[in-house]
Amino acid sequence: MLPVEDLRLLAYNTAIKHNITIAMVHKGLYQLRVSGCPWQDADIVEALGDLGDYGLHYLLAVERIARISEMHSYSRVKGLLHHSYESLGINERDENGELIATKLLWKENLFNRNERGEGNAP
């Protein structure tokens, strides 16, 4: 895990180099962290920047990273994140043809879980 200052600098540099804002990087990283994305912070920031170059921002990018990170390490899909799920070997639909929902845990859910005694709210 990167020190906070290094992570801030990485987010800033990513926003400058790619079609994404610093706020998008911070919000996307936060969302993926609370959702349990297994990728390292630096890999997530880099992935958000790369997807921003292809016009995938905040929620679209977060959902894509969450889905891909369930199956692959970042080093395996680096540079390929914008490719179709099918080409990455990820099923987008279940056996009934229904879209498979991405497993994201929203901040509101964290507070609800804490009220029920199931976890800690940030």
Side-chain angles (χ1 to χ4, degrees), residues 37-50:
C37 180
W39 292 356
Q40 298 295 317
D41 291 347
D43 294 340
I44 292 172
V45 170
E46 185 177 332
L48 288 167
D50 289 344

Side-chain angles (χ1 to χ4, degrees), residues 30-107:
Y30 173 78
Q31 181 60 56
L32 288 160
R33 279 286 131 235
V34 299
S35 296
C37 180
W39 292 356
Q40 298 295 317
D41 291 347
D43 294 340
I44 292 172
V45 170
E46 185 177 332
L48 288 167
D50 289 344
L51 288 172
D53 289 342
Y54 288 94
L56 296 170
H57 297 107
Y58 188 55
L59 186 56
L60 293 174
V62 167
E63 287 178 340
R64 180 166 277 276
I65 292 170
R67 173 61 53 81
I68 293 171
S69 70
E70 291 174 352
M71 299 287 297
H72 300 294
S73 66
Y74 179 69
S75 61
R76 184 167 183 192
V77 294
K78 183 177 181 176
L80 305 173
L81 292 172
H82 62 284
H83 288 214
S84 71
Y85 286 136
E86 186 177 90
S87 69
L88 295 173
I90 298 170
N91 291 332
E92 194 172 4
R93 298 182 180 272
D94 64 14
E95 57 276 351
N96 298 326
E98 299 289 325
L99 284 172
I100 300 171
T102 308
K103 296 174 184 158
L104 290 175
L105 181 63
W106 300 104
K107 186 175 183 178

